[in-house]
Amino acid sequence: MTTDLFERATVTDGGMETDLVFHHGVDLPQFAAYPLLREDRGRALLRDYYLGYAAIARRWGAGLLLETPTWRANPDWGARLGDTLADLGAINAYAVQWLRGLRESALADLPEVRVGGMIGPRGDGYAADDLDAQASQAYHRPQVEALAAAGVDVVTAYTLTGRGEALGIVRAARAAGVPVGISFTVETDGRLPDGSTLSQTMTALDASAAPDHYLLNCAHPRHIALAMAGLTPAQRPAIRGVRGNASPLSHADLDAATDLDEGDPEQFAAATSALDALAPALTIRGGCCGTDARHVAAAWALAAAPRTSDAPDRARRHP
């Protein structure tokens, strides 16, 4: 099964966890946002957060991808928060239902709103700790099935560090009958944390079980550009989305930092816009660590600006 849900230019959100922690003073043990769905204040915070990105989509006549705050809602991370497998199944399903309700109640005027189920890695997204495909499929299957059964439009696995875990997630999604996107993170040299190039990883994954599309996240757009530069012409159209970090620091430096590096929204936007030349089908734009609605708004303002050199192509892909 393959599908293309994102032919339309689509806004998605920024760095939810860093935004909530550093700008709103929210305590997120284990960097997990999903527990916020269990309390009134948490749901109010999340509603305001998502509506901020809806305003950007509304401004530019773009679609919107609402992604569940479930990056940490998998067995190993959930156990550290005291959640059982049953608890996690329930909160993953509720996250989808809650976002579907938000779509119906507050976003009916937007041209297209997709609800995405967000999946995170089993381990630390900043360290190469790749599962083999069989173990990955078994590990991620319950979360994928919970999201799919709740009526999600697509599941996307973010901040993956290697091909084995990605392959297992694709297979779990295929078994559940739901479209799937795979998003890798890269280091400052453009390579995945396991040392492979993006092109090598995509080639291996596509030969076994290709996702519906690829994204890149949790690295500065300049580092993402290094990864994209090594892709073949045939691979480039498979890249549908990008969610870059605000900071150009390495993963190791970010891990050790105690203050938030927000970078500069205009520089972030320019670096994100430069990726158009490397990914002709790039339609999903958002942010990751250190970014917020300012960064994403700046990226969309630049994406929507007319350019005489490639106006016909941009008219197809952008508002």
Side-chain angles (χ1 to χ4, degrees):
M1 179 187 68
T2 60
T3 185
D4 191 349
L5 296 172
F6 298 107
E7 290 185 323
R8 177 185 291 276
T10 302
V11 174
T12 195
D13 62 302
M16 173 184 286
E17 292 84 1
T18 53
D19 190 2
L20 292 174
V21 169
F22 289 97
H23 296 146
H24 299 276
V26 180
D27 182 29
L28 295 181
Q30 303 298 332
F31 218 48
Y34 73 85
L36 295 176
L37 289 168
R38 293 174 171 148
E39 56 184 44
D40 290 342
R41 178 177 177 270
R43 289 190 294 271
L45 279 168
L46 289 172
R47 176 183 171 88
D48 289 345
Y49 173 85
Y50 288 116
L51 291 182
Y53 294 95
I56 297 170
R58 190 173 289 113
R59 167 69 178 84
W60 298 110
L64 178 65
L65 173 59
L66 295 172
E67 301 205 83
T68 56
T70 52
W71 186 68
R72 288 295 205 208
N74 61 44
D76 286 7
W77 292 101
R80 295 171 186 170
L81 295 167
D83 283 319
T84 66
L85 291 179
D87 295 332
L88 292 169
I91 199 65
N92 276 286
Y94 178 73
V96 176
Q97 295 158 4
W98 185 78
L99 281 181
R100 284 168 60 96
L102 181 63
R103 175 172 64 183
E104 294 168 7
S105 65
L107 305 172
D109 62 308
L110 293 180
E112 185 174 85
V113 181
R114 305 286 189 188
V115 173
M118 183 179 286
I119 296 170
R122 180 175 185 173
D124 184 348
Y126 280 178
D129 184 23
D130 197 23
L131 293 170
D132 66 56
Q134 185 175 358
S136 172
Q137 183 175 356
Y139 180 81
H140 290 288
R141 178 182 55 79
Q143 185 178 20
V144 171
E145 289 180 346
L147 295 167
V152 80
D153 295 313
V154 60
V155 296
T156 306
Y158 282 98
T159 330
L160 299 186
T161 62
R163 69 192 68 169
E165 187 164 21
L167 178 55
I169 292 169
V170 173
R171 289 176 175 169
R174 295 292 178 238
V178 63
V180 58
I182 292 294
S183 185
F184 293 108
T185 188
V186 297
E187 301 292 349
T188 56
D189 62 358
R191 288 178 176 265
L192 273 66
D194 70 358
S196 62
T197 68
L198 179 62
S199 181
Q200 290 168 341
T201 301
M202 289 175 60
T203 297
L205 189 54
D206 290 345
S208 298
D212 291 283
H213 56 267
Y214 290 94
L215 307 90
L216 289 155
N217 79 293
C218 212
H220 192 272
R222 292 203 303 265
H223 306 148
I224 290 173
L226 294 175
M228 288 184 180
L231 296 177
T232 68
Q235 289 175 322
R236 294 177 188 273
I239 306 294
R240 271 298 193 192
V242 61
R243 296 183 59 154
N245 282 353
S247 172
L249 292 175
S250 69
H251 288 156
D253 288 339
L254 287 173
D255 231 4
T258 56
D259 297 320
L260 180 66
D261 183 356
E262 300 177 284
D264 177 85
E266 299 304 324
Q267 292 178 4
F268 171 85
T272 298
S273 183
L275 299 176
D276 279 347
L278 298 169
L282 185 64
T283 54
I284 306 168
R285 295 170 190 267
C288 204
C289 297
T291 67
D292 54 48
R294 295 171 301 159
H295 300 76
V296 176
W300 275 93
L302 207 54
R307 297 182 185 178
T308 57
S309 62
D310 60 349
D313 183 61
R314 293 182 67 83
R316 177 178 63 84
R317 292 187 289 113
H318 300 297

